[in-house]
């Protein structure tokens, strides 16, 4: 009898240790997003082969993302600034290598757009070559699902070339549902073409069912170099642009301030929406920034139909600041010029 009790005790201890080990160390198919930090653009950017030595900083913010264990998921339930996301939602079904590559494509495009816009605003010579669009994902019902791959570059549609991805999207959305379409693309350095059909996208528009980002290259006599390493994504575009413009045109624009912000940058200077505005503004406050620039674009009608309570990036950030009680000025912007005008005042 005593032996049985001893054996039960030993088994209970072993099971308890295994359960504890699983709870603490085994990653689950979920990710936790929470306020991360901020980085001074000076650390990753060199303009005209000169360092930015003026006081103050432009900070681009980021969200902390970690694959969660059971214990971390439990703690996240009580963290008002943490969001839990499934692996499928986070990566879109891409494996870790593909997901990293996609993030790098976004970063590359962000840097090129920032170079172009910063040089343009500073009235420096600049040209931007558009090579096509990187393929980032394909819809399950796309007729190109088993043809195009992530990282391929689409260079033409029905023999037509384009100057930007919006132009390509506009052309494709104007084609009739079910009509034949030929896509020219580059894969592993080889030019190829494939035939398919126009489908109805989830947003109700016509298309070929690919998620894309511009494949561009900027040319200028002013050398601009980024060293962002493994940092990915497009949301630092606004702050990159401000840093380039300031160094070339108005060195005293920052005026010693620690200025943070987020937002993608478009070729025409518009600032695009990003994810995690509520977390990024708290990252900025933690870094000691006095100003936080954030996109303030109207919520898309399709999104509002699905979620009537959807907020703009500005509303998300403003609400987070008020809730956390942190001291930082949240400044809504729609263009880079809006940010420049604010700093001048």
């Amino acid at each position: 009898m005593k032996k049985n009790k001893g054996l039960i005790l030993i088994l209970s201890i072993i099971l308890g240790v295994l359960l504890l080990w699983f709870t603490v160390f085994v990653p689950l198919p979920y990710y936790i997003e929470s306020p991360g930090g901020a980085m001074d653009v000076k650390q990753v950017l060199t303009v005209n082969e000169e360092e930015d030595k003026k006081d103050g900083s432009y900070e681009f913010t980021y969200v902390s993302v970690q694959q969660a264990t059971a214990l971390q998921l439990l703690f996240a339930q009580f963290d008002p600034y943490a969001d839990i996301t499934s692996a499928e939602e986070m990566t879109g079904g891409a494996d870790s290598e593909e997901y990293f590559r996609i993030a790098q494509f976004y970063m590359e495009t962000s840097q090129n757009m920032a170079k172009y816009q910063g040089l343009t605003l500073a009235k420096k010579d600049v040209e931007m070559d558009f090579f096509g669009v990187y393929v980032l994902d394909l819809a399950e019902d796309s007729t190109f699902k088993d043809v195009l791959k992530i990282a391929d570059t689409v260079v033409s549609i029905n023999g037509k070339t384009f100057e930007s991805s919006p132009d390509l999207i506009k052309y494709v959305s104007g084609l009739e549902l079910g009509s034949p379409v030929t896509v020219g693309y580059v894969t592993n350095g080889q030019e190829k073409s494939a035939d398919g059909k126009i489908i109805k996208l989830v947003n109700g528009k016509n298309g070929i069912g690919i998620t894309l980002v511009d494949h561009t290259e900027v040319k200028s006599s002013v050398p601009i170099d980024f060293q962002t390493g493994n940092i990915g994504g497009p949301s630092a575009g606004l702050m990159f642009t401000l840093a380039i413009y300031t160094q070339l045109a108005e060195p005293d624009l920052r005026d010693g301030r620690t200025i943070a912000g987020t937002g993608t940058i478009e070729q025409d200077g518009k600032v695009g929406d990003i994810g995690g505005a509520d977390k990024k503004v708290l990252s900025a406050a933690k870094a000691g920034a006095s100003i936080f620039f954030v996109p303030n674009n109207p919520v898309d009608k399709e999104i509002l139909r699905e979620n009537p309570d959807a907020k703009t990036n500005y509303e998300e950030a403003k609400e987070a600041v008020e809730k956390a009680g942190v001291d930082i000025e949240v400044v809504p912007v729609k263009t880079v010029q809006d940010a420049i005008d604010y700093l001048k005042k």
Side-chain angles (χ1 to χ4, degrees), residues 298-311:
V299 179
D300 186 90
K301 292 179 181 178
E302 294 292 332
I303 295 176
L304 281 175
R305 268 196 280 269
E306 295 180 9
N307 180 14
D309 296 325
K311 299 179 176 66

Side-chain angles (χ1 to χ4, degrees), residues 248-264:
L248 291 174
E250 295 191 61
D252 296 318
L253 181 63
R254 196 168 51 232
D255 195 27
R257 294 169 287 188
T258 300
I259 301 161
T262 188
T264 66

Side-chain angles (χ1 to χ4, degrees), residues 267-287:
Q267 190 171 343
D268 59 3
K270 290 180 181 177
V271 177
D273 294 332
I274 49 83
D278 55 336
K279 298 170 185 60
K280 289 175 180 176
V281 71
L282 297 181
S283 299
K286 184 179 178 181

Side-chain angles (χ1 to χ4, degrees), residues 63 135 145 153 160 214 217 236-237 254 266 312 328:
V63 172
V135 176
K145 176 68 175 176
T153 299
K160 291 176 61 68
D214 287 348
E217 183 179 318
R254 196 168 51 232
E266 307 297 333
T312 66
I328 188 169

Side-chain angles (χ1 to χ4, degrees), residues 71-107:
L71 184 63
Q72 289 169 330
L73 284 177
L74 178 63
F75 286 141
Q77 297 288 343
F78 301 98
D79 185 346
Y81 307 114
D83 288 332
I84 299 170
T85 307
S86 70
E88 177 69 24
E89 290 174 313
M90 176 63 64
T91 66
D95 60 34
S96 57
E97 184 179 339
E98 289 175 335
Y99 184 64
F100 175 76
R101 190 188 301 177
I102 289 168
Q104 292 302 301
F105 288 157
Y106 275 125
M107 174 58 79

